[in-house]
Amino acid sequence: MSATYLIVAGVDGSEGGRRALDWAVTEAAGRGGAVQAVVAWSWDGMEYGPIAATSPREAADQAAALLDREIKALVARHGSHVPVAGEIIEGRPADVLTGAARTADLLVLGSHGHSRVRHTVLGSVSEECIRKAVCPVVVLPVPVDVPAPASEPAVRQ
């Protein structure tokens, strides 16, 4: 990638990861930059994402397939006007993402809104990245559907 402004986006196959990648491409387009889409994978018995495999090779292959699908879908949504490179890296997600972003200008992540139990046991990747990263970190929240009011709001008189 020859662009001088680099944005690293964490990709994990979730809606939050897709939103992060979309946002990163839009931001890079406005800055004349490039995006590095990163998938972290692990083979230590701890599931960090949507990859469940029976061997390390299978886990790496699934991570590569996930990244390929996400980049193809990205190009279908946005076209190919922004350089996007993909990389799969073995390791803990926060370590992988902050390591990949060491020389980046920005790290972009999606917030997943996992349950309290999962958050307590695994922690939050985005929170850990915010603490460890040496560049600014953008965390995109999960959209919240706000129900429409049942009736018009009361007008004070």
Side-chain angles (χ1 to χ4, degrees), residues 83-110:
V84 178
E87 186 173 15
I88 61 165
I89 304 170
E90 183 178 10
R92 293 181 61 250
D95 294 339
V96 164
L97 294 167
T98 55
R102 268 192 315 265
T103 60
D105 296 288
L106 190 63
L107 172 60
V108 182
L109 309 166

PDB file of all heavy atoms in Angstrom, residues 83-110:
ATOM      1  N   PRO A  83      -7.455   1.628  -1.477  1.00  0.00           N
ATOM      2  CA  PRO A  83      -6.649   0.409  -1.321  1.00  0.00           C
ATOM      3  C   PRO A  83      -6.969  -0.286   0.004  1.00  0.00           C
ATOM      4  O   PRO A  83      -6.948   0.344   1.062  1.00  0.00           O
ATOM      5  CB  PRO A  83      -5.212   0.929  -1.315  1.00  0.00           C
ATOM      6  CG  PRO A  83      -5.256   2.325  -1.818  1.00  0.00           C
ATOM      7  CD  PRO A  83      -6.638   2.841  -1.543  1.00  0.00           C
ATOM      8  N   VAL A  84      -7.289  -1.575  -0.082  1.00  0.00           N
ATOM      9  CA  VAL A  84      -7.580  -2.380   1.108  1.00  0.00           C
ATOM     10  C   VAL A  84      -6.732  -3.641   1.040  1.00  0.00           C
ATOM     11  O   VAL A  84      -6.800  -4.391   0.074  1.00  0.00           O
ATOM     12  CB  VAL A  84      -9.070  -2.761   1.199  1.00  0.00           C
ATOM     13  CG1 VAL A  84      -9.321  -3.645   2.417  1.00  0.00           C
ATOM     14  CG2 VAL A  84      -9.957  -1.532   1.250  1.00  0.00           C
ATOM     15  N   ALA A  85      -5.924  -3.843   2.070  1.00  0.00           N
ATOM     16  CA  ALA A  85      -5.129  -5.064   2.188  1.00  0.00           C
ATOM     17  C   ALA A  85      -5.699  -5.864   3.349  1.00  0.00           C
ATOM     18  O   ALA A  85      -6.241  -5.304   4.295  1.00  0.00           O
ATOM     19  CB  ALA A  85      -3.666  -4.729   2.448  1.00  0.00           C
ATOM     20  N   GLY A  86      -5.581  -7.163   3.266  1.00  0.00           N
ATOM     21  CA  GLY A  86      -6.061  -8.022   4.336  1.00  0.00           C
ATOM     22  C   GLY A  86      -4.921  -8.798   4.954  1.00  0.00           C
ATOM     23  O   GLY A  86      -3.939  -9.120   4.278  1.00  0.00           O
ATOM     24  N   GLU A  87      -5.077  -9.087   6.237  1.00  0.00           N
ATOM     25  CA  GLU A  87      -4.045  -9.854   6.937  1.00  0.00           C
ATOM     26  C   GLU A  87      -4.694 -10.673   8.037  1.00  0.00           C
ATOM     27  O   GLU A  87      -5.534 -10.171   8.778  1.00  0.00           O
ATOM     28  CB  GLU A  87      -3.017  -8.890   7.536  1.00  0.00           C
ATOM     29  CG  GLU A  87      -1.822  -9.570   8.159  1.00  0.00           C
ATOM     30  CD  GLU A  87      -0.749  -8.586   8.600  1.00  0.00           C
ATOM     31  OE1 GLU A  87      -1.018  -7.373   8.684  1.00  0.00           O
ATOM     32  OE2 GLU A  87       0.359  -9.045   8.870  1.00  0.00           O
ATOM     33  N   ILE A  88      -4.304 -11.947   8.139  1.00  0.00           N
ATOM     34  CA  ILE A  88      -4.731 -12.775   9.269  1.00  0.00           C
ATOM     35  C   ILE A  88      -3.502 -12.985  10.153  1.00  0.00           C
ATOM     36  O   ILE A  88      -2.406 -13.240   9.653  1.00  0.00           O
ATOM     37  CB  ILE A  88      -5.351 -14.125   8.839  1.00  0.00           C
ATOM     38  CG1 ILE A  88      -4.354 -14.987   8.069  1.00  0.00           C
ATOM     39  CG2 ILE A  88      -6.613 -13.911   8.023  1.00  0.00           C
ATOM     40  CD1 ILE A  88      -4.778 -16.428   7.930  1.00  0.00           C
ATOM     41  N   ILE A  89      -3.708 -12.821  11.454  1.00  0.00           N
ATOM     42  CA  ILE A  89      -2.591 -12.912  12.391  1.00  0.00           C
ATOM     43  C   ILE A  89      -3.028 -13.773  13.573  1.00  0.00           C
ATOM     44  O   ILE A  89      -4.088 -13.523  14.160  1.00  0.00           O
ATOM     45  CB  ILE A  89      -2.158 -11.522  12.896  1.00  0.00           C
ATOM     46  CG1 ILE A  89      -1.803 -10.609  11.708  1.00  0.00           C
ATOM     47  CG2 ILE A  89      -0.989 -11.636  13.865  1.00  0.00           C
ATOM     48  CD1 ILE A  89      -1.594  -9.154  12.097  1.00  0.00           C
ATOM     49  N   GLU A  90      -2.211 -14.733  13.933  1.00  0.00           N
ATOM     50  CA  GLU A  90      -2.522 -15.578  15.081  1.00  0.00           C
ATOM     51  C   GLU A  90      -2.215 -14.827  16.372  1.00  0.00           C
ATOM     52  O   GLU A  90      -1.161 -14.197  16.508  1.00  0.00           O
ATOM     53  CB  GLU A  90      -1.694 -16.867  15.041  1.00  0.00           C
ATOM     54  CG  GLU A  90      -2.040 -17.816  16.173  1.00  0.00           C
ATOM     55  CD  GLU A  90      -1.264 -19.120  16.117  1.00  0.00           C
ATOM     56  OE1 GLU A  90      -0.315 -19.239  15.322  1.00  0.00           O
ATOM     57  OE2 GLU A  90      -1.614 -20.032  16.891  1.00  0.00           O
ATOM     58  N   GLY A  91      -3.144 -14.902  17.310  1.00  0.00           N
ATOM     59  CA  GLY A  91      -2.923 -14.293  18.614  1.00  0.00           C
ATOM     60  C   GLY A  91      -4.191 -13.744  19.234  1.00  0.00           C
ATOM     61  O   GLY A  91      -5.264 -13.802  18.640  1.00  0.00           O
ATOM     62  N   ARG A  92      -4.036 -13.207  20.432  1.00  0.00           N
ATOM     63  CA  ARG A  92      -5.153 -12.572  21.131  1.00  0.00           C
ATOM     64  C   ARG A  92      -5.586 -11.349  20.336  1.00  0.00           C
ATOM     65  O   ARG A  92      -4.739 -10.561  19.902  1.00  0.00           O
ATOM     66  CB  ARG A  92      -4.737 -12.147  22.535  1.00  0.00           C
ATOM     67  CG  ARG A  92      -4.437 -13.308  23.464  1.00  0.00           C
ATOM     68  CD  ARG A  92      -4.060 -12.836  24.870  1.00  0.00           C
ATOM     69  NE  ARG A  92      -5.164 -12.093  25.474  1.00  0.00           N
ATOM     70  CZ  ARG A  92      -5.167 -10.779  25.695  1.00  0.00           C
ATOM     71  NH1 ARG A  92      -4.122 -10.037  25.411  1.00  0.00           N
ATOM     72  NH2 ARG A  92      -6.213 -10.188  26.231  1.00  0.00           N
ATOM     73  N   PRO A  93      -6.886 -11.145  20.160  1.00  0.00           N
ATOM     74  CA  PRO A  93      -7.353 -10.045  19.313  1.00  0.00           C
ATOM     75  C   PRO A  93      -6.789  -8.672  19.678  1.00  0.00           C
ATOM     76  O   PRO A  93      -6.335  -7.944  18.795  1.00  0.00           O
ATOM     77  CB  PRO A  93      -8.874 -10.088  19.489  1.00  0.00           C
ATOM     78  CG  PRO A  93      -9.155 -11.531  19.756  1.00  0.00           C
ATOM     79  CD  PRO A  93      -7.996 -11.997  20.596  1.00  0.00           C
ATOM     80  N   ALA A  94      -6.803  -8.299  20.953  1.00  0.00           N
ATOM     81  CA  ALA A  94      -6.304  -6.969  21.330  1.00  0.00           C
ATOM     82  C   ALA A  94      -4.813  -6.835  21.023  1.00  0.00           C
ATOM     83  O   ALA A  94      -4.365  -5.784  20.545  1.00  0.00           O
ATOM     84  CB  ALA A  94      -6.578  -6.686  22.800  1.00  0.00           C
ATOM     85  N   ASP A  95      -4.050  -7.888  21.270  1.00  0.00           N
ATOM     86  CA  ASP A  95      -2.618  -7.850  20.977  1.00  0.00           C
ATOM     87  C   ASP A  95      -2.368  -7.753  19.475  1.00  0.00           C
ATOM     88  O   ASP A  95      -1.516  -6.980  19.012  1.00  0.00           O
ATOM     89  CB  ASP A  95      -1.913  -9.090  21.534  1.00  0.00           C
ATOM     90  CG  ASP A  95      -1.934  -9.155  23.051  1.00  0.00           C
ATOM     91  OD1 ASP A  95      -2.114  -8.099  23.701  1.00  0.00           O
ATOM     92  OD2 ASP A  95      -1.782 -10.269  23.587  1.00  0.00           O
ATOM     93  N   VAL A  96      -3.111  -8.557  18.712  1.00  0.00           N
ATOM     94  CA  VAL A  96      -2.961  -8.564  17.254  1.00  0.00           C
ATOM     95  C   VAL A  96      -3.314  -7.202  16.677  1.00  0.00           C
ATOM     96  O   VAL A  96      -2.568  -6.631  15.869  1.00  0.00           O
ATOM     97  CB  VAL A  96      -3.843  -9.673  16.633  1.00  0.00           C
ATOM     98  CG1 VAL A  96      -4.015  -9.474  15.138  1.00  0.00           C
ATOM     99  CG2 VAL A  96      -3.253 -11.047  16.925  1.00  0.00           C
ATOM    100  N   LEU A  97      -4.455  -6.656  17.085  1.00  0.00           N
ATOM    101  CA  LEU A  97      -4.923  -5.399  16.510  1.00  0.00           C
ATOM    102  C   LEU A  97      -4.025  -4.222  16.888  1.00  0.00           C
ATOM    103  O   LEU A  97      -3.692  -3.397  16.032  1.00  0.00           O
ATOM    104  CB  LEU A  97      -6.368  -5.138  16.931  1.00  0.00           C
ATOM    105  CG  LEU A  97      -7.369  -6.144  16.354  1.00  0.00           C
ATOM    106  CD1 LEU A  97      -8.718  -6.016  17.049  1.00  0.00           C
ATOM    107  CD2 LEU A  97      -7.500  -5.982  14.850  1.00  0.00           C
ATOM    108  N   THR A  98      -3.631  -4.143  18.141  1.00  0.00           N
ATOM    109  CA  THR A  98      -2.755  -3.029  18.534  1.00  0.00           C
ATOM    110  C   THR A  98      -1.371  -3.191  17.923  1.00  0.00           C
ATOM    111  O   THR A  98      -0.718  -2.200  17.591  1.00  0.00           O
ATOM    112  CB  THR A  98      -2.671  -2.873  20.064  1.00  0.00           C
ATOM    113  OG1 THR A  98      -2.256  -4.109  20.657  1.00  0.00           O
ATOM    114  CG2 THR A  98      -4.018  -2.449  20.640  1.00  0.00           C
ATOM    115  N   GLY A  99      -0.921  -4.427  17.757  1.00  0.00           N
ATOM    116  CA  GLY A  99       0.357  -4.658  17.085  1.00  0.00           C
ATOM    117  C   GLY A  99       0.303  -4.238  15.625  1.00  0.00           C
ATOM    118  O   GLY A  99       1.215  -3.578  15.122  1.00  0.00           O
ATOM    119  N   ALA A 100      -0.780  -4.590  14.948  1.00  0.00           N
ATOM    120  CA  ALA A 100      -0.934  -4.213  13.539  1.00  0.00           C
ATOM    121  C   ALA A 100      -1.052  -2.703  13.382  1.00  0.00           C
ATOM    122  O   ALA A 100      -0.657  -2.146  12.360  1.00  0.00           O
ATOM    123  CB  ALA A 100      -2.162  -4.903  12.946  1.00  0.00           C
ATOM    124  N   ALA A 101      -1.576  -2.038  14.410  1.00  0.00           N
ATOM    125  CA  ALA A 101      -1.788  -0.585  14.337  1.00  0.00           C
ATOM    126  C   ALA A 101      -0.607   0.227  14.859  1.00  0.00           C
ATOM    127  O   ALA A 101      -0.689   1.450  14.922  1.00  0.00           O
ATOM    128  CB  ALA A 101      -3.059  -0.223  15.109  1.00  0.00           C
ATOM    129  N   ARG A 102       0.499  -0.441  15.214  1.00  0.00           N
ATOM    130  CA  ARG A 102       1.668   0.292  15.743  1.00  0.00           C
ATOM    131  C   ARG A 102       2.137   1.411  14.829  1.00  0.00           C
ATOM    132  O   ARG A 102       2.546   2.465  15.283  1.00  0.00           O
ATOM    133  CB  ARG A 102       2.831  -0.670  15.991  1.00  0.00           C
ATOM    134  CG  ARG A 102       2.881  -1.242  17.379  1.00  0.00           C
ATOM    135  CD  ARG A 102       4.207  -1.947  17.642  1.00  0.00           C
ATOM    136  NE  ARG A 102       4.615  -2.796  16.542  1.00  0.00           N
ATOM    137  CZ  ARG A 102       4.367  -4.108  16.461  1.00  0.00           C
ATOM    138  NH1 ARG A 102       3.736  -4.715  17.421  1.00  0.00           N
ATOM    139  NH2 ARG A 102       4.772  -4.801  15.430  1.00  0.00           N
ATOM    140  N   THR A 103       2.086   1.177  13.532  1.00  0.00           N
ATOM    141  CA  THR A 103       2.544   2.194  12.581  1.00  0.00           C
ATOM    142  C   THR A 103       1.382   2.850  11.835  1.00  0.00           C
ATOM    143  O   THR A 103       1.596   3.577  10.877  1.00  0.00           O
ATOM    144  CB  THR A 103       3.524   1.575  11.561  1.00  0.00           C
ATOM    145  OG1 THR A 103       2.855   0.529  10.865  1.00  0.00           O
ATOM    146  CG2 THR A 103       4.772   1.049  12.253  1.00  0.00           C
ATOM    147  N   ALA A 104       0.162   2.577  12.291  1.00  0.00           N
ATOM    148  CA  ALA A 104      -1.025   3.141  11.640  1.00  0.00           C
ATOM    149  C   ALA A 104      -1.371   4.505  12.227  1.00  0.00           C
ATOM    150  O   ALA A 104      -0.907   4.877  13.304  1.00  0.00           O
ATOM    151  CB  ALA A 104      -2.212   2.190  11.804  1.00  0.00           C
ATOM    152  N   ASP A 105      -2.208   5.210  11.504  1.00  0.00           N
ATOM    153  CA  ASP A 105      -2.695   6.502  11.968  1.00  0.00           C
ATOM    154  C   ASP A 105      -3.970   6.363  12.788  1.00  0.00           C
ATOM    155  O   ASP A 105      -4.305   7.264  13.561  1.00  0.00           O
ATOM    156  CB  ASP A 105      -2.957   7.414  10.763  1.00  0.00           C
ATOM    157  CG  ASP A 105      -1.669   7.714  10.011  1.00  0.00           C
ATOM    158  OD1 ASP A 105      -0.852   8.484  10.543  1.00  0.00           O
ATOM    159  OD2 ASP A 105      -1.474   7.154   8.915  1.00  0.00           O
ATOM    160  N   LEU A 106      -4.669   5.247  12.625  1.00  0.00           N
ATOM    161  CA  LEU A 106      -5.960   5.062  13.281  1.00  0.00           C
ATOM    162  C   LEU A 106      -6.289   3.575  13.343  1.00  0.00           C
ATOM    163  O   LEU A 106      -5.984   2.836  12.412  1.00  0.00           O
ATOM    164  CB  LEU A 106      -7.034   5.800  12.471  1.00  0.00           C
ATOM    165  CG  LEU A 106      -8.420   5.975  13.036  1.00  0.00           C
ATOM    166  CD1 LEU A 106      -8.384   6.822  14.307  1.00  0.00           C
ATOM    167  CD2 LEU A 106      -9.314   6.660  11.995  1.00  0.00           C
ATOM    168  N   LEU A 107      -6.915   3.155  14.440  1.00  0.00           N
ATOM    169  CA  LEU A 107      -7.420   1.789  14.601  1.00  0.00           C
ATOM    170  C   LEU A 107      -8.925   1.887  14.748  1.00  0.00           C
ATOM    171  O   LEU A 107      -9.417   2.668  15.571  1.00  0.00           O
ATOM    172  CB  LEU A 107      -6.800   1.126  15.839  1.00  0.00           C
ATOM    173  CG  LEU A 107      -7.353  -0.237  16.265  1.00  0.00           C
ATOM    174  CD1 LEU A 107      -7.187  -1.285  15.161  1.00  0.00           C
ATOM    175  CD2 LEU A 107      -6.680  -0.695  17.560  1.00  0.00           C
ATOM    176  N   VAL A 108      -9.662   1.119  13.938  1.00  0.00           N
ATOM    177  CA  VAL A 108     -11.124   1.172  13.959  1.00  0.00           C
ATOM    178  C   VAL A 108     -11.669  -0.200  14.324  1.00  0.00           C
ATOM    179  O   VAL A 108     -11.277  -1.213  13.736  1.00  0.00           O
ATOM    180  CB  VAL A 108     -11.694   1.622  12.597  1.00  0.00           C
ATOM    181  CG1 VAL A 108     -13.211   1.715  12.655  1.00  0.00           C
ATOM    182  CG2 VAL A 108     -11.096   2.950  12.175  1.00  0.00           C
ATOM    183  N   LEU A 109     -12.586  -0.214  15.305  1.00  0.00           N
ATOM    184  CA  LEU A 109     -13.183  -1.450  15.796  1.00  0.00           C
ATOM    185  C   LEU A 109     -14.689  -1.288  15.892  1.00  0.00           C
ATOM    186  O   LEU A 109     -15.189  -0.181  16.064  1.00  0.00           O
ATOM    187  CB  LEU A 109     -12.652  -1.772  17.196  1.00  0.00           C
ATOM    188  CG  LEU A 109     -11.138  -1.774  17.384  1.00  0.00           C
ATOM    189  CD1 LEU A 109     -10.792  -1.776  18.854  1.00  0.00           C
ATOM    190  CD2 LEU A 109     -10.550  -2.968  16.671  1.00  0.00           C
ATOM    191  N   GLY A 110     -15.385  -2.397  15.841  1.00  0.00           N
ATOM    192  CA  GLY A 110     -16.823  -2.387  16.095  1.00  0.00           C
ATOM    193  C   GLY A 110     -17.075  -2.843  17.511  1.00  0.00           C
ATOM    194  O   GLY A 110     -16.368  -3.687  18.047  1.00  0.00           O
TER     195      GLY A 110
END
